[in-house]
Amino acid sequence: MTKIRVILATAALAMTTGTLIAHADVEDPDVKARMDTMGGIGANMKTLSQMSKGQIAFDAAAAQAAIDEMAEAAETIPDVFETPAKDPESEASDEIWENWEDFVSKAEALQEAASGATVTDEASLGAAMGSIGGTCGSCHRAYQL
Ligand code: HEC
């Protein structure tokens, strides 16, 4: 293994382990399910971000697959967040269940942005990240502690 490969492998392992450790403390299955859904969406967004920065090679099919997974995951957001379960590790605001329809509309905005995005080249990757990323921020600002 070259030095850079060792560094990348270590970083990937640290990231995976970090997620597992954070979620290992979460006992409530509803909280764990929604964190896992968001974690998956986050991992796909990270792939797009790394591609756009040239940290990994541009690959239109891989980018599209990540976007398609985000669209599918977004559809499940209302289901995995429906129960107002609590956990000390959770960053979900109580406002979610006080403004449920607005929360669902923000999940739909992500679903629509992701299902409407097509990546063929680096310019369309940038455009997709812009439209998808805006919907993450809009929900997190309102509902993530
Ligand atoms: C409809 C609202 C909503 C949308 C849209 C949304 N998120 Fe989230 N996200 C949340 C909430 C709420 C939490 C906190 C969940 C908890 O801790 O219980 C969260 C948590 C996360 C986490 C932390 C997961 C963990 O391991 O605990 C990541 C990463 C994340 N979101 C990424 C994203 C990305 C990237 C997008 C856009 C592609 C996105 N989210 C779109 C509401 C949303």
Side-chain angles (χ1 to χ4, degrees):
M1 253 198 226
T2 62
K3 193 174 177 191
I4 184 74
R5 277 184 187 279
V6 173
I7 292 169
L8 288 175
T10 312
L13 185 65
M15 270 160 32
T16 318
T17 320
T19 310
L20 290 176
I21 287 169
H23 290 192
D25 295 339
V26 176
E27 285 180 7
D28 188 288
D30 290 311
V31 174
K32 197 170 180 328
R34 72 192 187 214
M35 284 174 137
D36 286 347
T37 298
M38 274 301 149
I41 291 173
N44 281 322
M45 195 65 180
K46 187 161 193 222
T47 300
L48 301 185
S49 160
Q50 287 177 326
M51 236 183 240
S52 73
K53 290 179 191 154
Q55 291 165 349
I56 54 176
F58 175 75
D59 177 339
Q64 191 65 51
I67 289 172
D68 293 348
E69 271 185 34
M70 279 196 266
E72 280 175 31
E75 261 187 89
T76 72
I77 291 176
D79 287 341
V80 294
F81 275 91
E82 199 174 12
T83 306
K86 292 196 192 293
D87 190 284
E89 298 288 327
S90 172
E91 296 176 331
S93 158
D94 287 342
E95 300 272 317
I96 293 172
W97 299 282
E98 286 157 23
N99 302 281
W100 180 247
E101 280 175 28
D102 181 61
F103 181 79
V104 170
S105 78
K106 286 178 162 50
E108 282 166 0
L110 168 59
Q111 202 277 330
E112 279 164 27
S115 56
T118 307
V119 175
T120 51
D121 55 15
E122 294 186 47
S124 51
L125 171 63
M129 285 181 64
S131 64
I132 293 169
T135 69
C136 317
S138 137
C139 191
H140 287 172
R141 273 193 301 279
Y143 299 117
Q144 187 184 21
L145 297 176

